[in-house]
Amino acid sequence: MKFQFRLAYYLFGLLLGGVFVMWFLKAKATNRGVEFCYLPNCRVLKDLRSKSLEIDSLAKQSLSEKWVTMEDIKNSLTYGDVDFGKSNELYRKGKIYVIEGKTSKNEDITITMVNYTNKVLLEKIEKK
């Protein structure tokens, strides 16, 4: 058998095995409640979700206006995008992160959070 065919069979088997292993590991992880975060956006959001949340007065004012809810904040911390151009800068002995998300009414919002070592401060919520 020529080298080209052997290489094609090898790569096809490797691809098929890789898909099977990823499918198996993903099913095992979801059963145990484990989340794999390899990309920077996912890692930052997972870190922000894992710490206790404190709410600043500006954010409380936005929440009291009823155009945004805590459920919208939680969904943005799960499915939002971190703006790294404005984030990861030192701010008040922590690092500031700007997260772009959506409300339940599909309106764009920008959330500013300060990440400390043991807590997260929700500083402000803005409409785009």
Side-chain angles (χ1 to χ4, degrees):
M1 186 180 290
K2 290 186 178 180
F3 177 73
Q4 294 173 336
F5 293 115
R6 282 188 283 163
L7 181 64
Y9 282 127
Y10 173 75
L11 291 176
F12 178 72
L14 185 67
L15 176 71
L16 202 61
V19 168
F20 176 74
V21 167
M22 291 301 292
W23 174 73
F24 179 73
L25 289 179
K26 186 174 183 179
K28 188 174 180 180
T30 53
N31 287 342
R32 293 186 178 183
V34 178
E35 183 181 5
F36 294 106
C37 287
Y38 297 111
L39 299 176
N41 190 61
C42 182
R43 288 174 39 196
V44 167
L45 292 176
K46 183 178 179 182
D47 183 43
L48 293 174
R49 284 192 312 265
S50 68
K51 297 178 182 175
S52 63
L53 180 68
E54 292 184 7
I55 303 173
D56 194 66
S57 61
L58 284 173
K60 283 183 183 177
Q61 181 181 0
S62 296
L63 287 170
S64 68
E65 293 173 3
K66 305 287 186 194
W67 59 270
V68 66
T69 63
M70 280 305 293
E71 191 64 31
D72 297 333
I73 303 298
K74 289 179 184 178
N75 286 337
S76 295
L77 286 176
T78 304
Y79 304 110
D81 293 322
V82 179
D83 186 358
F84 286 103
K86 300 175 185 173
S87 300
N88 206 13
E89 297 176 5
L90 291 177
Y91 180 77
R92 294 187 190 170
K93 298 182 182 178
K95 289 187 176 181
I96 193 163
Y97 288 99
V98 178
I99 301 158
E100 297 171 349
K102 292 189 180 280
T103 64
S104 58
K105 298 174 184 173
N106 210 18
E107 297 173 334
D108 291 333
I109 57 172
T110 303
I111 303 166
T112 305
M113 301 183 106
V114 182
N115 188 9
Y116 297 103
T117 56
N118 57 352
K119 67 178 179 177
V120 175
L121 176 67
L122 177 60
E123 193 169 67
K124 63 183 171 179
I125 308 163
E126 301 171 321
K127 287 184 183 180
K128 275 191 171 182

